[in-house]
Amino acid sequence: MTGHRFDRPEPDAFTRTYWDAAAEGRLLIRRCGDCGRAHHYPREFCPHCWSEDVTWETASGRATLYTWSVVHRNDLPPFPDRVPYVAAVVELAEGPRMMTEIVGAGKSSSATLASGGAGLSGGAELVVAFREGVPVFTRAPEPPGASVLPVMPAFPGAPV
């Protein structure tokens, strides 16, 4: 098992389309032609209505943070070099949730994100990025002209 990496998928005939698109920087989901609902992880049938009328669709790449956990120890290669990192479940704009990693600009950024010091909170807006052909997410850039609202006292005269 020497040299095996646990962060790399092993595509099969069905998932190869998904992983090939990810290698090109596109996130794919599946959508049901019968009930219209999207789902992820890719399956050959709809998990909502069991229809086999499902097709690939390019996702927008937008998501919100549903939940996360900071991983401080992982002995499987290559994770020891990445700790701490943020394992997360995100809700894609199209509806499905997916497991992923929240990335920043290195270990200190991930640790800062994990502590909430850099805006990581439930409902945070995220965008997909790709690391070696694997979808990961990062905080969405703020729109031009966006500003942080000042902290207002709870009642007039209260200290801020």
Side-chain angles (χ1 to χ4, degrees), residues 5-71:
R5 289 184 54 170
F6 292 88
D7 65 332
R8 297 288 182 103
E10 293 185 24
D12 59 27
F14 174 70
T15 63
R16 185 159 310 283
T17 300
Y18 176 83
W19 293 114
D20 287 350
E24 296 169 359
R26 294 181 300 120
L27 178 62
L28 296 183
I29 57 175
R30 301 280 279 173
R31 184 166 304 273
C32 179
D34 286 339
C35 73
R37 294 176 70 180
H39 63 271
H40 185 84
Y41 63 93
R43 286 163 268 200
E44 296 184 57
F45 62 91
C46 175
H48 307 291
C49 72
W50 298 93
S51 170
E52 292 180 2
D53 180 18
V54 290
T55 57
W56 294 106
E57 175 181 304
T58 301
S60 67
R62 296 184 328 267
T64 56
L65 183 59
Y66 182 74
T67 189
W68 74 97
S69 180
V70 181
V71 178

Side-chain angles (χ1 to χ4, degrees), residues 65 68 70 86 102-126 137-142 148:
L65 183 59
W68 74 97
V70 181
V86 181
I102 307 299
V103 297
K107 285 185 183 182
S108 62
S109 180
S110 292
T112 303
L113 281 171
S115 69
L120 187 65
S121 61
E125 297 293 321
L126 306 168
F137 283 78
T138 188
R139 285 180 295 135
E142 290 193 26
V148 176

Side-chain angles (χ1 to χ4, degrees), residues 69-160:
S69 180
V70 181
V71 178
H72 292 278
R73 182 177 176 152
N74 187 335
D75 297 330
L76 300 173
F79 298 107
D81 295 333
R82 293 186 187 166
V83 294
Y85 63 89
V86 181
V89 175
V90 300
E91 187 167 307
L92 300 175
E94 293 79 10
R97 292 182 184 151
M98 72 179 280
M99 293 182 66
T100 188
E101 182 181 344
I102 307 299
V103 297
K107 285 185 183 182
S108 62
S109 180
S110 292
T112 303
L113 281 171
S115 69
L120 187 65
S121 61
E125 297 293 321
L126 306 168
V127 293
V128 72
F130 293 87
R131 180 178 53 213
E132 299 178 31
V134 175
V136 294
F137 283 78
T138 188
R139 285 180 295 135
E142 290 193 26
S147 63
V148 176
L149 296 175
V151 175
M152 301 301 291
F155 54 90
V160 174

